[in-house]
Amino acid sequence: MQENDMTYSIIGSGRIGAAVARQFARAGLDILIANKRGAESLADLVRELRPHVKPAPLAEVLAADIVFLAVPYDAIGTVTSGVADWKGRIVIDATNAIDYPAFTPRDLGGRPSSDIVAAALKGARVVKAFNTLPAAILAQDPIEGPGRRVLFVSGDDAAANAEVAGLIEKLGFAPILLGKLAEGGRLQQFGAPLVAQNFIKAG
């Protein structure tokens, strides 16, 4: 159990999900993980990161206090369909709305992608974070030279933003709060300057 009794989980074990799992293991924090392929497909990752990263059924992962969404944007509705009401729990939206194979920003009619996510997850306090660094960089040591890598945070609930910012600190990154989803979430959206700059540098 974490020192503050919070429980954490990740839905998705792709590059972003695995990167987040590695940061939890590096920090000595426990986190549950699930994907659509089942626990057997997680064996190598869990073996590498045990005892802090543990596979669990999707229903258990969805019940954590703070849930990371690290799945393709179009899969959010499917993986979260088992929760009718999140009852104030925090969902960290680490997704990017991307059109494949063109790898271009999705046309969302001018709405921030996390605003759409928040509207779909009844009762959730959605916080946009962990989406502005390419996965390969997100998985690295957050200490870079004399400083720390930056993760941006946006959300409509100030207490949830503070909770996520505190978690980011525990993981060794430097959080920067950008305000609500309508403003900060838009800046963090794929194709916006904060994401595009990092992806271009990584490329």
Side-chain angles (χ1 to χ4, degrees):
M1 189 68 70
Q2 319 298 334
E3 60 185 31
N4 63 352
D5 291 335
M6 294 290 287
T7 56
Y8 305 102
S9 70
I10 309 168
I11 305 174
S13 61
R15 297 181 68 200
I16 293 295
V20 171
R22 288 191 169 90
Q23 294 301 345
F24 268 76
R26 178 180 281 120
L29 295 173
D30 296 338
I31 192 163
L32 301 176
I33 187 168
N35 65 16
K36 65 181 181 180
R37 299 186 304 278
E40 288 186 5
S41 69
L42 296 166
D44 289 344
L45 182 67
V46 170
R47 189 178 303 111
E48 174 193 346
L49 302 178
R50 63 186 176 192
H52 295 294
V53 177
K54 302 175 183 177
L58 180 58
E60 186 177 349
V61 166
L62 288 168
D65 295 315
I66 297 182
V67 179
F68 283 81
L69 286 180
V71 296
Y73 189 75
D74 290 336
I76 293 173
T78 301
V79 299
T80 61
S81 61
V83 182
D85 189 338
W86 289 83
K87 297 182 179 179
R89 290 183 294 118
I90 295 173
V91 174
I92 296 177
D93 179 13
T95 68
N96 282 305
I98 300 172
D99 270 331
Y100 293 102
F103 203 70
T104 55
R106 178 74 55 86
D107 183 0
L108 301 175
R111 293 180 69 188
S113 60
S114 284
D115 186 46
I116 296 173
V117 173
L121 303 184
K122 179 184 176 183
R125 293 185 292 163
V126 172
V127 177
K128 188 73 171 177
F130 293 83
N131 75 303
T132 54
L133 291 178
I137 296 176
L138 182 62
Q140 294 175 14
D141 191 326
I143 305 300
E144 174 69 16
R148 294 180 290 164
R149 300 186 192 278
V150 167
L151 289 175
F152 299 101
V153 177
S154 303
D156 294 340
D157 185 284
N161 290 348
E163 185 71 45
V164 173
L167 173 59
I168 287 170
E169 288 273 6
K170 287 180 183 178
L171 295 177
F173 293 87
I176 294 182
L177 293 155
L178 296 179
K180 296 188 175 183
L181 294 176
E183 298 87 22
R186 193 180 301 278
L187 288 172
Q188 288 175 254
Q189 187 147 308
F190 185 77
L194 293 182
V195 180
Q197 182 178 3
N198 281 315
F199 274 75
I200 289 170
K201 285 182 178 177

